[in-house]
Amino acid sequence: MKMGERKFIISSSPHIHDGSLTPRIMWGVSLALLPATLVSFYAFGWDAVRVILVSMVSAVVFEAIALMLRNRRPRQAMDGSAALTGLLLGLTLPPGISNAMIMVGTFVAIIVAKQVFGGLGQNPFNPALTGRVFLLIAFPAPMTTWPLPRDLTSQISSLKSFLGLAVERHADVVTGATPLGAVKEHMLKALPHINMGDLFFGLHTPGSIGEISALAILLGGLGLLVARIINWRIPLTIIATVFAVAFLYYLAVPPKVSGMSPVSAAFYMAVFHVFAGGLMIGAFFMATDYVTSPIFPKGQIIFGIGVGLMTIIIRLWGGYPEGVSFAILLMNALVPLIDRYTMPKPFGWVDRRA
Amino acid sequence: MISKTFRGGIHPYYGKELAASRETEKLPLPDQFFVSLEQHIGAPVKLLVKKGDEVKAGQLIAEAGGFVSANIHAPTSGKVTSTDPVDHVSGRKVPAVTIKADGNDEWVDLEPVDSPESADPKTLLDAIRRAGVVGMGGASFPTHVKLSPPDDKPIDTLILNGAECEPYLTADHRIMVEKPREVLLGALLEARILGASRLFIGVEDNKPDAIKALEDEVEGLQLPENIKEISVVPLETKYPQGSEKQLIKAITDRNVPVKGLPMDVGVVVSNVATCYAVWDAVYNGRPVIERIVTVTGRGVVEPGNYWVRIGTPVSHLIEAAGGYEDDAAKLIIGGPMMGFAQGTDAVPTMKSTNGVLVQTRDEVQGPDFAPCIRCARCVEVCPMNLPPFLLAAAAEAGRYDVLDQDVLFSCVECGSCAYVCPSRRPLVQFIRMGKAYFRGQKKGK
């Protein structure tokens, strides 16, 4: 070939890439939720499978419809972000929830919280949490009815009360209180029955299907940290803040736990608040959502402390037993402001007032 | 061995093994040279020859058009056949001198500086100026200007840039291994001109043979009085370690201020190939008409390093490297991070051409870019501590009003952000667009 005959591709530098891809990150986060998903299948059986399937599929379908309405390629619905939203929402629902309600949740998550704002990367509020909180406010009773997990129901003949509160027998299901609910309602009665091992492993605890096992969430969270999809700042600051405030609170207002010194009782309660409810899944999987959390290191720390504070304030003094969802959504609203004030100065920056 | 470094940066596949151990060969002279008249930053040159003129190698064919400008010399003997514009690395056509080589390679008489070790700085500077030396690391800033800082900017440190952090390129590596003495002698001349008392040679630690060669040479060196400290500094192999401000930070822990220059913190940085050119200009009186160019990448049959006369068409270089592989798809002047993709291999080499990279089809294809998901990777890797995603988003949306120019122009366009972006966003391209907007506005005034 003679000089100048060959044609080449022209593009702006750089001409190489590390190979990372947004859909791979999204599916990677979903994969990190696999331990929690498997625990939910074990604990709640086909009900959990149904909740997660309906949630994920309907989320992707809503996403595809919205993309078509916006003249985008509906194939983009398979980029993993809608499926992840569906999975996260499903994992935060009680096992007995109806399919119609799940779909209302995914509609709110995908359409109202995400696509209306411009789709991927544009939503100010975490879509899954927006869907969940909508359901909580719209359908408070089904959203707080907690069927007992399999390992608990198998002891049903002997089980008259759980966590010091009576279990309810319905036609086809037995329900009880979540640990957080029990402590909120009747601390003294509930406290002696709370077993930290149950909270950690989750197989004997009623709750949202994906939140019951702190261990399963931790495994996935560690995976995200190791894969460097998330960093430690947000989860660690949330957990540390909840732990610290709870510890101080129970030092000031000591719970009466027989055989325990006030300090160890306060410590016990602080650990309880870290493992109970949605704190773990919130800290590792919801608050770390790239789109709705601060982007700069300092901001991530401020955000994490904020989420921790709001969570424990709602739990200790608020009307709801659980506050993680509200705390994260509230802090989501502050993200633009946090980003604005935590933007680092360029290398070699000289103060212009000087 | 603890290697120094800076905050941020990336670890791309370096691809240096393709050419790193290939000794530099003399490239046979092509029949035709295209000597671009845009080879430096500064005032345009004044053309001294016309069509039909006979020229000799080393003859001045275009004269510096001011202090901040650089002479251009004929790369070989022959006849000027045209002064029409030809292809330029930038993609434009720019004025150039086309020379048909006569094959004799006759040189003009060269005038080396007498006893360079004791010559006064003025004489040295003049020799460097006459030889048309510019920054050979890519920036092409006239070297005699860099070596003449104003009196209120005293220089205590000269840093030799041998980092060569740009993946695939090995031209600087080879010159350090093959010509360490010449490089160091050139550096000592620069240090004397500047009055610098400290001389550091920064080399990424993936080039142990270059570090060893330089260290050996430093030991046997007769140091002039002004030099109080001299050492070879191993640097972490991390891109962009050779970026001027990052190099200064790593070696001296000084922060070059935004909008500032290295001389603001008492430092001058000089590329190792530039030091060689300075040595050549002073000791041999030879102008810059030759340099080492790496020809590499999976798209060429036999990667290697070549002594190339300035103005040699890239096609001639590729031929020497065994030609293209069948699936060659992208031709880049420079490296994969900051190099310029070319539409044609008719483009000639210049003083700043340190490499020619050919990528294959499967190396260049990627998915379309998608929305930013705010993953913060660009923020993490930015060596200038900028928010690339924000700068790019503002430029993409045409919201130039929200861009702080001091922040925007802090970007060195190293490409680290775009390299790690999982949404494959052309962040650097957007940022360049923003810069172009403000440059255009300034011109409009």
Side-chain angles (χ1 to χ4, degrees):
Chain A
M1 221 179 289
K2 273 200 173 153
M3 190 176 95
E5 276 183 10
R6 202 180 254 269
K7 293 278 174 270
F8 298 98
I9 296 167
I10 299 182
S11 70
S12 178
S13 65
H15 307 287
I16 47 175
H17 194 272
D18 71 358
S20 63
L21 205 56
T22 296
R24 240 174 266 156
I25 295 176
M26 296 294 171
W27 290 112
V29 177
S30 293
L31 189 69
L33 285 164
L34 192 65
T37 308
L38 292 178
V39 167
S40 80
F41 290 173
Y42 175 83
F44 300 107
W46 289 110
D47 243 355
V49 177
R50 173 187 63 85
V51 169
I52 284 168
L53 214 62
V54 170
S55 187
M56 286 182 83
V57 171
S58 64
V60 173
V61 169
F62 283 133
E63 177 100 340
I65 292 171
L67 286 168
M68 277 191 281
L69 292 174
R70 292 177 55 219
N71 289 322
R72 305 292 154 100
R73 277 172 301 161
R75 253 186 63 83
Q76 284 173 22
M78 286 310 293
D79 68 4
S81 67
L84 175 59
T85 296
L87 178 59
L88 275 170
L89 176 63
L91 289 174
T92 58
L93 298 176
I97 191 147
S98 75
N99 291 339
M101 284 179 198
I102 298 172
M103 285 190 267
V104 169
T106 55
F107 177 85
V108 171
I110 296 294
I111 304 294
V112 179
K114 182 180 175 186
Q115 288 293 342
V116 160
F117 287 93
L120 182 62
Q122 303 299 317
N123 48 298
F125 297 100
N126 183 300
L129 281 181
T130 308
R132 177 176 198 274
V133 164
F134 181 85
L135 291 178
L136 190 63
I137 294 167
F139 314 109
M143 280 294 285
T144 52
T145 302
W146 308 103
L148 303 186
R150 163 216 304 241
D151 284 5
L152 215 55
T153 21
S154 59
Q155 312 162 10
I156 200 69
S157 53
S158 60
L159 200 66
K160 294 215 165 50
S161 73
F162 177 69
L163 297 175
L165 296 172
V167 297
E168 283 177 39
R169 287 152 199 281
H170 307 273
D172 55 348
V173 69
V174 183
T175 65
T178 65
L180 275 174
V183 166
K184 186 112 197 165
E185 202 169 312
H186 210 309
M187 177 102 172
L188 282 184
K189 249 196 213 168
L191 219 44
H193 303 282
I194 286 172
N195 180 330
M196 218 56 82
D198 284 349
L199 279 179
F200 189 65
F201 294 108
L203 300 181
H204 293 90
T205 321
S208 303
I209 60 172
E211 296 178 353
I212 52 174
S213 169
L215 174 67
I217 298 292
L218 262 178
L219 277 177
L222 281 178
L224 292 182
L225 284 169
V226 170
R228 306 190 73 166
I229 290 177
I230 62 168
N231 68 61
W232 56 271
R233 292 189 197 94
I234 291 174
L236 194 76
T237 47
I238 291 177
I239 292 169
T241 304
V242 166
F243 181 89
V245 176
F247 183 68
L248 293 175
Y249 173 84
Y250 288 108
L251 269 187
V253 189
K256 292 197 178 58
V257 186
S258 56
M260 264 196 210
S261 71
V263 175
S264 38
F267 183 82
Y268 184 81
M269 286 310 296
V271 173
F272 166 76
H273 274 287
V274 168
F275 288 149
L279 190 77
M280 282 290 169
I281 199 170
F284 282 101
F285 287 92
M286 305 281 202
T288 55
D289 171 22
Y290 291 150
V291 177
T292 57
S293 67
I295 201 159
F296 304 114
K298 246 188 249 166
Q300 294 175 345
I301 288 172
I302 294 169
F303 178 83
I305 293 173
V307 170
L309 274 178
M310 296 305 303
T311 300
I312 196 69
I313 286 171
I314 292 169
R315 280 186 184 179
L316 294 177
W317 293 284
Y320 285 91
E322 174 60 305
V324 176
S325 307
F326 296 109
I328 294 173
L329 288 175
L330 276 168
M331 291 306 292
N332 283 167
L334 294 182
V335 167
L337 197 68
I338 294 173
D339 274 349
R340 198 187 172 101
Y341 285 101
T342 54
M343 195 181 304
K345 292 282 172 244
F347 178 84
W349 188 254
V350 184
D351 196 333
R352 276 184 279 215
R353 285 166 304 182
Chain B
M1 196 163 73
I2 295 165
S3 301
K4 299 193 170 191
T5 193
F6 60 98
R7 190 212 73 90
I10 54 172
H11 294 95
Y13 164 62
Y14 259 43
K16 304 260 192 190
E17 71 282 357
L18 292 175
S21 56
R22 305 290 294 250
E23 205 162 313
T24 312
E25 293 171 39
K26 275 235 172 247
L27 188 76
L29 298 182
D31 303 333
Q32 246 189 341
F33 287 86
F34 304 93
V35 184
S36 172
L37 297 180
E38 280 191 19
Q39 297 209 43
H40 61 265
I41 295 174
V45 288
K46 280 190 292 224
L47 188 60
L48 299 179
V49 294
K50 58 184 189 305
K51 191 174 163 183
D53 284 1
E54 298 280 344
V55 294
K56 286 182 173 178
Q59 180 181 329
L60 188 67
I61 56 172
E63 188 180 38
F67 180 61
V68 186
S69 187
N71 290 339
I72 292 171
H73 305 78
T76 188
S77 60
K79 195 175 188 178
V80 175
T81 56
S82 160
T83 53
D84 293 339
V86 301
D87 289 304
H88 184 264
V89 167
S90 64
R92 295 171 296 135
K93 289 211 185 261
V94 311
V97 176
T98 305
I99 295 171
K100 185 156 174 49
D102 60 16
N104 300 325
D105 199 32
E106 271 179 75
W107 281 68
V108 294
D109 291 332
L110 301 176
E111 294 167 36
V113 174
D114 289 333
S115 48
E117 281 87 357
S118 54
D120 69 303
K122 247 204 173 120
T123 311
L124 297 176
L125 265 180
D126 195 53
I128 294 167
R129 185 190 57 75
R130 277 187 287 121
V133 182
V134 301
M136 315 261 287
S140 319
F141 188 73
T143 301
H144 65 275
V145 183
K146 201 183 219 179
L147 296 178
S148 314
D151 289 340
D152 61 337
K153 304 279 183 195
I155 304 298
D156 68 342
T157 306
L158 172 66
I159 295 177
L160 289 208
N161 192 348
E164 200 166 52
C165 59
E166 182 73 53
Y168 288 90
L169 302 189
T170 55
D172 289 351
H173 185 173
R174 289 318 304 177
I175 212 163
M176 289 187 283
V177 170
E178 295 174 29
K179 307 280 183 194
R181 184 170 174 77
E182 290 81 351
V183 167
L184 286 170
L185 287 176
L188 289 179
L189 293 174
E190 290 190 4
R192 199 144 57 79
I193 294 169
L194 292 163
S197 59
R198 306 196 299 167
L199 174 58
F200 299 115
I201 306 109
V203 186
E204 277 192 348
D205 55 15
N206 61 350
K207 296 181 262 295
D209 51 345
I211 293 172
K212 171 103 180 27
L214 288 164
E215 275 175 346
D216 289 351
E217 211 54 63
V218 164
E219 231 156 81
L221 217 54
Q222 188 85 35
L223 287 181
E225 261 174 42
N226 63 304
I227 299 292
K228 305 279 181 273
E229 195 182 348
I230 178 169
S231 65
V232 182
V233 184
L235 304 163
E236 189 189 322
T237 301
K238 182 170 80 169
Y239 181 88
Q241 184 65 72
S243 169
E244 204 165 59
K245 293 181 177 184
Q246 279 59 45
L247 187 69
I248 294 169
K249 176 73 183 172
I251 293 180
T252 68
D253 199 31
R254 295 180 191 172
N255 298 322
V256 179
V258 166
K259 291 201 284 185
L261 292 169
M263 66 180 179
D264 292 327
V265 293
V267 179
V268 162
V269 178
S270 190
N271 173 267
V272 287
T274 313
C275 289
Y276 179 85
V278 164
W279 169 82
D280 213 13
V282 172
Y283 281 76
N284 304 321
R286 198 156 34 209
V288 180
I289 60 167
E290 198 173 33
R291 67 156 300 144
I292 300 183
V293 179
T294 304
V295 185
T296 187
R298 302 203 184 289
V300 288
V301 174
E302 214 169 316
N305 304 288
Y306 299 92
W307 281 105
V308 179
R309 294 280 171 92
I310 309 299
T312 302
V314 166
S315 55
H316 187 69
L317 262 161
I318 300 285
E319 235 168 78
Y324 295 106
E325 295 283 2
D326 288 341
D327 55 350
K330 207 175 192 180
L331 175 70
I332 297 160
I333 300 284
M337 290 304 295
M338 289 188 77
F340 297 89
Q342 304 295 312
T344 161
D345 58 11
V347 67
T349 54
M350 303 200 297
K351 293 175 186 176
S352 58
T353 306
N354 46 9
V356 174
L357 172 68
V358 184
Q359 291 181 315
T360 56
R361 194 153 296 283
D362 59 322
E363 285 178 299
V364 301
Q365 278 167 342
D368 279 350
F369 72 89
C372 171
I373 54 164
R374 296 167 42 90
C375 69
R377 284 166 199 213
C378 58
V379 175
E380 260 166 56
V381 299
C382 179
M384 293 306 292
N385 225 16
L386 306 172
F389 75 106
L390 266 183
L391 302 179
E396 184 186 15
R399 288 293 308 274
Y400 300 110
D401 55 314
V402 299
L403 282 170
D404 180 323
Q405 286 194 52
D406 289 351
V407 176
L408 183 71
F409 281 92
S410 288
C411 171
V412 295
E413 302 178 17
C414 70
S416 298
C417 52
Y419 174 80
V420 298
C421 178
S423 291
R424 308 288 172 105
R425 297 177 60 71
L427 296 164
V428 181
Q429 203 172 353
F430 283 135
I431 290 173
R432 284 197 192 114
M433 208 166 85
K435 287 181 175 179
Y437 170 82
F438 287 113
R439 284 203 189 105
Q441 257 198 343
K442 216 179 269 173
K443 262 186 202 160
K445 263 178 204 163

